[in-house]
Amino acid sequence: MGKRRNRVCGADVHNDLIVATIECSDETTLRERFGTNRNELERFKDWLIANNCEQVAFEATGVYWFSVYDVLSPSIDTIVANPWMIKGLPKDKSDDHDSKSIASFCLNGQIKRSRIFSNDDRDLRTMTRSRSGYVKTRTQFRNRIHKYLAMRGIKLRSGIRGIFGKSGRHVLNGLVDGENIETILDGIPSGRIRKKRELIKAAIAIGLDDTTKLLVKDALEVLDNLENRIENMSREILGRTLNKSKDLAIIMSVPGISFVSGSKILSEIGDYHDFRSPEQLAKWCGLVPGLNESAGKKRSSGITKQGSKHLRWILVEIAQVVARMKNTRFTRFFKRIMARKNHNVAIVALARKLICLIYHLLVVYSLN
């Protein structure tokens, strides 16, 4: 929380509109509307400076605030606030009311600043999230192909577990191209899978009709394009993490963490020196339980989920992997928690333990 100011501005930021309200300690109010292109943002900055505004605050609404912050922050003290932290009492909903409420909170020093990543960290985080989006889309198209095959009664997974591997793609391409089944089976590159010839033959005997061929072919082309995009994005991420190779190596030294998950954790944390303790980082991730108190009685509730959902998701995924490892301190910790609670609680506790360990390792090695 900050000190009380004499003249501040609250801005309600939208995709193509900014409603700004300046409030003064003498209850004077000024209001103006601006666009969101570069010229309008410069006009907004000049308006703030001309009115001797000491501070400006606005909510972190999607990605709309990025350009606003980049233009204003070099010239004026700029606060980006978590929307959840500045919700006031119920009132009429309008842009004017929202900007005035933000200005009032700012005037009284009641707004807590959100962490702002550097441009490099912001770019890296955007890339890792884009890669995750490509992977999610790839999974959707793979499931779509499974559905198309199931509609024709083709159970290819009974003979080939990974139908998007080299042998599986050979069979799929053959079916789409209308090749003879014997020719398809003869050309399977894996000798181990060729031994399942009769099983695979029975699975694909019905073949594909023209409509399914078209749908599967289209989905396979999209998959190939996505694979290229994922590979290109991974190379770009690798290049962007060269200046953080030491930190990335430290994170990847933790069991269950690969380059993909390690680079995602690194990008989502940003500058770990912003956190004073591992518990503060765990709280920022939303991995700590909430606390409810009434009539002097305190009860812990589920995790707050108020931090980065991307970081929380990848930590839980890693915890799922680590929990299945054999005879490690992490699996023993997981089993102790699960004996008292349940599987989900134990996984979240393990995820929290992992992020605390990562923090300790990063801080200790950064001092060397």
Side-chain angles (χ1 to χ4, degrees), residues 34-53:
F34 303 91
T36 55
N37 59 41
R38 183 72 186 195
N39 290 338
E40 284 290 289
L41 293 179
E42 290 290 345
R43 187 169 73 88
F44 181 24
K45 181 184 71 175
D46 294 341
W47 181 73
L48 294 172
I49 295 173
N51 286 284
N52 300 315
C53 196

Side-chain angles (χ1 to χ4, degrees), residues 11 13-18 34-45 48 56 58-76 78 80 116-117 119 122-123 125:
V13 178
H14 300 274
N15 183 29
D16 52 5
L17 174 67
I18 298 172
F34 303 91
T36 55
N37 59 41
R38 183 72 186 195
N39 290 338
E40 284 290 289
L41 293 179
E42 290 290 345
R43 187 169 73 88
F44 181 24
K45 181 184 71 175
L48 294 172
V56 59
F58 45 85
E59 295 178 342
T61 49
V63 297
Y64 302 148
W65 63 270
F66 284 8
S67 58
V68 183
Y69 178 85
D70 290 341
V71 170
L72 299 183
S73 58
S75 304
I76 186 170
T78 305
V80 180
I116 304 299
F117 284 31
N119 288 335
R122 196 189 301 171
D123 290 342
R125 184 179 62 177

Side-chain angles (χ1 to χ4, degrees), residues 10-25:
D12 191 26
V13 178
H14 300 274
N15 183 29
D16 52 5
L17 174 67
I18 298 172
V19 179
T21 301
I22 291 179
E23 279 213 352
C24 308
S25 55

Side-chain angles (χ1 to χ4, degrees), residues 1 9 13 19 27 55 69 74 89 99 106 118 186 213 226 238-239 243 265 271 285 311 324 356:
M1 302 299 175
C9 176
V13 178
V19 179
E27 299 185 358
Q55 198 171 59
Y69 178 85
L89 294 174
S99 65
C106 186
S118 68
D186 290 340
K213 284 180 184 178
L226 286 169
L238 178 60
N243 62 335
I265 291 172
D271 186 358
C285 296
L311 180 55
R324 293 193 294 268
C356 289

